[in-house]
């Protein structure tokens, strides 16, 4: 099972990053949970979600809450608070545009800096940095094939009536895959 | 069947619709509002009726009225909204009107907060309104259980002619999980619903079926339900030194903690009630007769289910102390539950019963 936290400010799309992966996992027949936490404001304020994805169809998921994460995607500095919910040696993926490089990380952590907004800007989809992050995680853990992930994300947006951004979001997802 | 990611509050009402629910009346309140929002378009789509009533009291009475006319009626609420519905629940129970109440529990007394909790355990399992009545109370711990229980709810409600409560939690309502959604089913014919002829209805039902002594028949119904509706998930009871008991999300989390403790060599077992009324007393008959203690894990402030744990232990002659971990708002983590169990086993906790 993989436990992954996406955290940031409201508006950075972190809830959706997790949602896209959990949706794709369910479509692949896996067991998946998505647990959100956010304040009453739509923009600003802390927001996070933790997703748990089974390794195969038979593995069940016990606790759905944040507790022993394999990976934290931190879109801003306050998100680093959630390192306390990560296991030893966890991967901490930081948004290079918002997290200071000189932050004191735990010694055992595997820390990577990625400029998610810049990558998204390059494909003319700055708002799609959350999709870049989701794609990065999918590739890092080799969760699904590129085609299945893209197809699932497009279906996800279609169901929400937002299919007209599928081309831009596909570009963001491909850009995310290429980072790994 | 295909698995799909569903949000708790939406999955539960979609399953309700597929189980035959064709009437909803309610008033929005966080964290249950998505259920109402979803049904506002979904019920008209399948030929059902959706009403956002002027308040909770009106909505529970609409649900009662619809049920008397044979509808498979539902209302949903949280926290103080549930308190307002208690008078209606009491009336429905006295008149054997079967409908379903979805309580997406939020933590706290008074206004409470929007946090998750299990602080409505007493209210739902001990009646809640005035008088002496019981509702069948489902306690789902996963999205699949939430769906399966909502799908079955009216079958059970109509079989016994009682109100059925689905005791959800804020986290369960707000989280998403992969789930298999069942197909639509056709409800059984009801012979008691009002049909305009003046010959049917709950009044006639009471006279004909109850033989004039409604209280006695209701009592017999409750005894039958207690016998027939014993449901739980268990693990490692036969040789357990200590047995953890928890329902809903804390129960699911505790089950993971108990497995972890077993791996570390502790002889710990688990009972997770799938219904909290009737309480699964029969599960306790399977517990090691020499058990050293029961541990109730719950998201209440001062302990509620722990009293039923103690009563079930007494009834099955498991004469062991009963301990309580009352987490308050939210849900405990796996490590929190495991640590508390270790602390009980080390003799560092004082029993409640």
């Amino acid at each position: 099972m993989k436990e992954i936290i996406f955290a940031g400010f409201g508006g950075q799309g972190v809830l959706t990053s997790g949602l896209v992966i959990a949706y794709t996992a369910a479509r692949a027949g896996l067991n998946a949970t998505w647990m959100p936490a956010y304040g009453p404001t739509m923009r600003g304020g802390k927001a996070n979600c933790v997703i748990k994805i089974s390794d195969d169809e038979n593995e069940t998921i016990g606790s759905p809450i944040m507790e022993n994460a394999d990976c934290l995607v931190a879109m801003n500095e306050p998100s680093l608070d959630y390192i306390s919910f990560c296991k030893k040696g966890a991967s901490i993926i930081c948004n290079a545009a918002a997290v200071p490089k000189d932050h004191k990380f735990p010694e055992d952590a595997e820390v990577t800096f990625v400029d998610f907004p810049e990558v998204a800007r390059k494909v003319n989809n700055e708002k799609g940095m959350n999709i870049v992050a989701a794609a990065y995680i999918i590739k890092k853990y080799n969760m699904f094939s590129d085609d299945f992930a893209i197809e699932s994300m497009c279906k996800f947006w279609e169901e929400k009536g937002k299919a007209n951004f599928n081309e831009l979001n596909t570009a963001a997802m491909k850009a995310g895959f290429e980072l790994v | 069947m295909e698995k799909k990611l569903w949000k708790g509050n939406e999955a539960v009402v979609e399953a309700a619709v597929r189980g035959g629910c064709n009437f909803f009346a309610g008033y929005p309140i966080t964290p249950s509002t998505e259920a109402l929002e979803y049904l506002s378009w979904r019920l008209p789509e399948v030929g059902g009726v959706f009403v956002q009533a002027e308040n909770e009291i009106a909505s529970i009475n609409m649900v009662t009225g619809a049920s008397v006319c044979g509808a498979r009626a539902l209302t949903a609420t949280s926290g103080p909204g549930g308190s307002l519905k208690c008078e209606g629940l009491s009336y429905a129970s006295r008149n054997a009107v079967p409908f379903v109440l979805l309580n997406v529990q939020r933590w706290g007394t008074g206004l409470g907060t929007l946090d998750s909790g299990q602080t409505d355990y007493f209210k739902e399992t001990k009646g809640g309104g005035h008088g002496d009545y019981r509702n069948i109370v489902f306690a789902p711990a996963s999205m699949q259980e939430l769906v399966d229980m909502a799908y079955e709810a009216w079958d059970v409600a109509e079989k016994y002619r009682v109100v059925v409560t689905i005791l959800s939690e804020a986290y369960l309502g707000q989280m998403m999980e992969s789930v298999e959604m069942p197909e639509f089913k056709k409800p059984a014919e009801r012979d008691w619903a009002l049909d305009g002829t003046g010959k049917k209805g709950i009044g006639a039902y009471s006279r004909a079926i109850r033989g004039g002594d409604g209280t006695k028949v209701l009592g017999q119904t409750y005894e039958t339900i207690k016998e027939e509706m014993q449901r739980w998930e268990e693990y490692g009871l036969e040789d357990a030194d200590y047995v953890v008991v928890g329902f809903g999300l804390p129960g699911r989390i505790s089950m993971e903690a108990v497995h972890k403790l077993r791996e570390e060599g502790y002889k710990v077992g688990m009972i997770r009630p799938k219904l909290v009324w009737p309480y699964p007393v029969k599960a306790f008959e399977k517990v090691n007769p020499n058990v050293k203690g029961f541990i109730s894990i719950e998201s209440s402030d001062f302990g509620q289910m722990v009293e039923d744990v103690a009563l079930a232990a007494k009834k099955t002659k498991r004469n062991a102390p009963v301990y309580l971990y009352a987490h308050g708002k939210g849900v405990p983590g796996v490590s929190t539950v495991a640590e508390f169990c270790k602390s009980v086993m080390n003799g560092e906790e004082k029993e409640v019963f």
Side-chain angles (χ1 to χ4, degrees):
Chain A
M1 191 192 70
K2 288 272 170 294
E3 176 177 337
I4 298 155
I5 303 168
F6 289 93
F9 286 128
Q12 284 184 310
V14 291
L15 299 183
T16 306
S17 298
L19 209 45
V20 165
I21 298 178
Y23 177 91
T24 308
R27 230 182 135 228
L30 300 173
N31 289 312
T33 58
W34 174 86
M35 180 73 88
Y38 51 90
T41 48
M42 288 280 280
R43 299 283 180 271
K46 280 171 102 172
N48 75 67
C49 70
V50 59
I51 57 170
K52 299 197 181 185
I53 312 287
S54 71
D55 292 332
D56 57 49
E57 290 171 24
N58 300 322
E59 188 184 28
T60 55
I61 296 171
S63 165
I65 66 166
M66 185 191 292
E67 197 165 3
N68 206 19
D70 299 283
C71 179
L72 165 67
V73 179
M75 283 298 190
N76 62 10
E77 195 176 5
S79 300
L80 298 175
D81 291 350
Y82 302 117
I83 290 175
S84 61
F85 292 96
C86 293
K87 58 175 66 158
K88 269 199 177 350
S91 300
I92 318 291
I93 318 290
C94 301
N95 175 5
V99 177
K101 287 228 164 56
D102 57 1
H103 181 88
K104 260 200 157 321
F105 291 95
E107 279 179 14
D108 57 281
E110 175 206 307
V111 183
T112 314
F113 280 82
V114 182
D115 196 332
F116 290 113
E118 178 60 20
V119 175
R121 256 195 304 275
K122 277 188 182 154
V123 291
N124 302 313
N125 185 8
E126 189 170 356
K127 285 180 187 166
M129 70 168 181
N130 57 339
I131 301 297
V132 176
Y136 185 93
I137 293 300
I138 289 170
K139 199 69 168 174
K140 175 179 166 64
Y141 290 108
N142 211 6
M143 291 172 143
F144 322 105
S145 72
D146 295 5
D147 288 347
F148 184 74
I150 289 169
E151 182 195 310
S152 300
M153 176 193 66
C154 291
K155 198 165 181 297
F156 170 81
W157 289 118
E158 273 161 31
E159 286 177 11
K160 288 186 174 293
K162 294 178 178 175
N164 44 344
F165 299 108
N166 272 350
E167 209 174 306
L168 278 173
N169 285 327
T170 300
M173 189 160 254
K174 284 182 177 166
F177 291 152
E178 281 165 17
L179 293 169
V180 184
Chain B
M1 215 183 291
E2 193 197 1
K3 273 185 195 165
K4 227 186 139 185
L5 196 69
W6 278 87
K7 184 171 192 148
N9 282 340
E10 296 183 346
V12 67
V13 290
E14 175 62 26
V17 168
R18 291 180 188 220
C21 169
N22 56 3
F23 181 92
F24 177 92
Y27 189 78
I29 181 168
T30 304
S32 70
T33 303
E34 292 88 354
L36 174 141
E37 196 179 5
Y38 185 90
L39 288 172
S40 70
W41 61 267
R42 184 57 169 147
L43 269 178
E45 194 176 78
V46 295
V49 174
F50 169 88
V51 184
Q52 180 174 327
E54 62 268 41
N55 60 36
E56 284 85 352
I57 295 171
S59 67
I60 191 85
N61 291 326
M62 287 176 188
V63 161
T64 303
S67 174
V68 166
C69 296
R72 289 197 143 186
L74 171 71
T75 189
T77 194
S78 300
S83 296
L84 286 166
K85 288 180 173 167
C86 284
E87 185 192 8
L89 284 176
S90 176
Y91 271 86
S93 299
R94 181 62 193 174
N95 291 294
V97 179
F99 60 74
V100 178
L101 166 80
L102 169 67
N103 181 351
V104 187
Q105 292 176 93
R106 67 190 215 184
W107 171 86
T109 307
L111 189 58
T113 73
L114 306 184
D115 289 282
S116 206
Q118 295 182 313
T119 45
D120 292 352
Y121 180 89
F122 277 157
K123 175 185 165 294
E124 300 300 353
T125 60
K126 313 297 179 193
H130 62 282
D132 197 354
Y133 68 94
R134 302 288 187 276
N135 300 337
I136 291 177
V137 186
F138 283 102
S142 67
M143 208 62 61
Q144 195 63 55
E145 278 190 355
L146 199 52
V147 162
D148 295 344
M149 289 168 176
Y151 191 67
E152 186 191 359
W154 280 269
D155 300 340
V156 173
E158 289 169 3
K159 179 179 176 187
Y160 299 110
R161 298 283 304 272
V162 294
V163 174
V164 166
T165 298
I166 299 170
L167 194 58
S168 183
E169 296 163 37
Y171 280 174
L172 201 53
Q174 298 299 318
M175 67 180 267
M176 296 180 94
E177 186 164 15
S178 40
V179 66
E180 289 177 14
M181 196 57 79
E183 298 297 329
F184 275 82
K185 73 176 163 196
K186 200 174 178 302
E189 290 295 322
R190 276 137 288 173
D191 58 0
W192 44 265
L194 294 185
D195 61 359
T197 61
K199 291 174 183 164
K200 284 184 172 180
I202 57 163
Y205 174 91
S206 297
R207 281 190 297 276
I209 309 293
R210 296 182 166 192
D213 189 349
T215 305
K216 194 174 167 191
V217 175
L218 209 52
Q220 284 163 352
T221 302
Y222 292 155
E223 288 309 311
T224 308
I225 295 171
K226 278 185 201 170
E227 188 59 31
E228 294 179 353
M229 296 289 288
Q230 294 280 315
R231 291 191 202 173
W232 69 89
E233 183 191 3
E234 64 178 56
Y235 171 70
L237 298 182
E238 290 76 9
D239 67 341
D241 285 336
Y242 290 86
V243 171
V244 174
V245 190
F247 69 101
L249 272 184
R252 173 177 174 172
I253 292 164
S254 298
M255 187 61 91
E256 191 180 332
V258 166
H259 279 268
K260 200 175 139 203
L261 287 166
R262 275 275 172 174
E263 280 167 24
E264 291 173 26
Y266 295 96
K267 279 191 176 174
V268 184
M270 169 100 203
I271 295 170
R272 180 176 69 79
K274 291 185 180 180
L275 285 161
V276 283
W277 196 88
Y279 202 71
V281 176
K282 286 185 183 175
F284 289 69
E285 289 170 1
K286 300 176 81 174
V287 171
N288 174 9
N290 301 314
V291 65
K292 294 174 185 161
F294 291 94
I295 304 169
S296 183
I297 306 286
E298 46 189 286
S299 287
S300 62
D301 299 328
F302 315 117
Q304 297 192 13
M305 187 189 68
V306 63
E307 296 188 7
D308 283 335
V309 174
L311 289 172
K314 182 173 191 297
K315 173 107 177 154
T316 53
K317 300 186 168 58
R318 266 61 182 171
N319 187 23
V322 180
Y323 301 89
L324 166 70
Y325 176 72
H327 185 74
K329 63 184 165 189
V331 291
V334 173
S335 55
T336 307
V337 174
E339 288 311 311
F340 183 80
C341 292
K342 284 180 190 172
S343 144
V344 166
M345 291 185 278
N346 291 337
E348 292 160 14
E349 301 293 334
K350 195 172 166 358
E351 73 261 32
V352 179
F353 293 103

